[in-house]
Amino acid sequence: MRKFIWVLLVLAFLALSGVCYAAPFTVVDTTWVKTQNGDWYGTSGDSAIGGSNYNTSKVLIDQVGGNLVFNFYTVFDNDDTGDGYFQLPGTNVNTYLADLALDTNGDGFFDKGVVLKDHAEWTEGTLPGNSYGVGLYDASSWDTSSYFMGGLSGIIYGEEWAVEKEGTLQDSMVAISEGSLLGDAMVSWADDVWSVSIALADLGVAGGDLSFYWGTASCGNDPISGTVHVPEPGTLLFLSGFVLGLGIVGRKKLVLPL
């Protein structure tokens, strides 16, 4: 009988924990980008401005332990070296890995961000408002692709973005301008995938939907955006403690008065 009870407890725990665990899922690039001269770039194939230099096709999002991990599938790099920048052909101008923008409370403003490449390493064009290092930040304002690329004559860049062509346009945010450090971020590159890992505890999301936007590069040439459901951090711990408590009680002998 005792074994049967334990089996039921384990099955219940697995069923309930499955509710609060977010399985890995993929967001395919369906974000449109508009240039400063009014041209639209779509979402099929190698559709980025600059094509083979900037195309981001999808992002795989997963929860690994207490971390939220974004895996961006993109060709953006400097000759596959993992340096996080690309020199525009025929120029001495570099474009850099854009910061990852996060909306954690669903109000439409990207209140947090992740710096993927140290701003102090950006050297060409207009520099970021602040030289923030790699990490997770509370963001109060953003620099846009127009800010970085607007003064470079003859260079086409992704000025605005929308979730569908001719939808509600938003500025292409590519770097945190004002913010404060919240925690570390692990950023790595391998086989045309940029991986970004941040602690859920530092992110401060107590369960719910989290929207993201990534411009790929400081020129905003191929943004990707979407929404991920973040499980409540305390739920799984509560369930674990609850089931463990039941097991401890179940192991005690029930003594009835004579």
Side-chain angles (χ1 to χ4, degrees):
M1 181 67 179
R2 181 177 297 171
K3 289 183 178 179
F4 178 72
I5 293 175
W6 271 103
V7 170
L8 289 178
L9 290 174
V10 170
L11 290 176
F13 169 75
L14 291 175
L16 290 171
S17 63
V19 173
C20 66
Y21 175 75
F25 69 97
T26 300
V27 175
V28 178
D29 183 16
T30 57
T31 303
W32 290 80
V33 63
K34 190 175 185 179
T35 68
Q36 83 278 15
N37 60 7
D39 293 332
W40 282 97
Y41 283 77
T43 60
S44 60
D46 200 16
S47 60
I49 305 170
S52 59
N53 298 326
Y54 296 98
N55 192 47
T56 295
S57 59
K58 62 182 179 180
V59 54
L60 176 67
I61 304 167
D62 195 6
Q63 181 189 348
V64 181
N67 295 330
L68 191 64
V69 180
F70 294 80
N71 292 302
F72 294 99
Y73 290 73
T74 179
V75 298
F76 181 75
D77 187 49
N78 185 38
D79 300 326
D80 290 333
T81 61
D83 288 336
Y85 71 92
F86 177 80
Q87 188 175 59
L88 297 176
T91 75
N92 62 352
V93 176
N94 289 337
T95 55
Y96 299 88
L97 279 175
D99 296 352
L100 171 62
L102 304 170
D103 176 7
T104 62
N105 54 22
D107 65 355
F109 176 75
F110 292 91
D111 57 298
K112 293 183 175 64
V114 183
V115 174
L116 277 65
K117 185 173 180 61
D118 193 329
H119 289 177
E121 299 178 20
W122 297 32
T123 58
E124 277 74 34
T126 306
L127 301 182
N130 283 290
S131 293
Y132 294 129
V134 174
L136 172 67
Y137 291 82
D138 194 12
S140 57
S141 64
W142 290 83
D143 289 332
T144 67
S145 58
S146 300
Y147 175 80
F148 292 109
M149 311 299 292
L152 301 173
S153 178
I155 296 179
I156 298 175
Y157 55 92
E159 186 176 46
E160 296 174 296
W161 65 279
V163 293
E164 59 185 25
K165 187 176 181 180
E166 299 179 357
T168 302
L169 287 172
Q170 301 184 61
D171 291 333
S172 294
M173 306 165 301
V174 294
I176 300 170
S177 175
E178 296 290 341
S180 56
L181 184 65
L182 292 174
D184 296 331
M186 297 295 295
V187 179
S188 60
W189 173 90
D191 300 325
D192 292 332
V193 177
W194 284 98
S195 295
V196 182
S197 177
I198 51 179
L200 283 168
D202 292 336
L203 192 58
V205 178
D209 290 338
L210 178 149
S211 297
F212 70 91
Y213 166 85
W214 190 54
T216 296
S218 53
C219 53
N221 278 15
D222 190 27
I224 186 170
S225 61
T227 300
V228 55
H229 182 76
V230 179
E232 185 173 353
T235 303
L236 188 55
L237 292 176
F238 171 78
L239 289 172
S240 300
F242 177 71
V243 172
L244 180 60
L246 287 178
I248 293 173
V249 172
R251 290 182 62 86
K252 294 181 178 180
K253 292 182 179 180
L254 181 62
V255 179
L256 297 177
L258 296 176

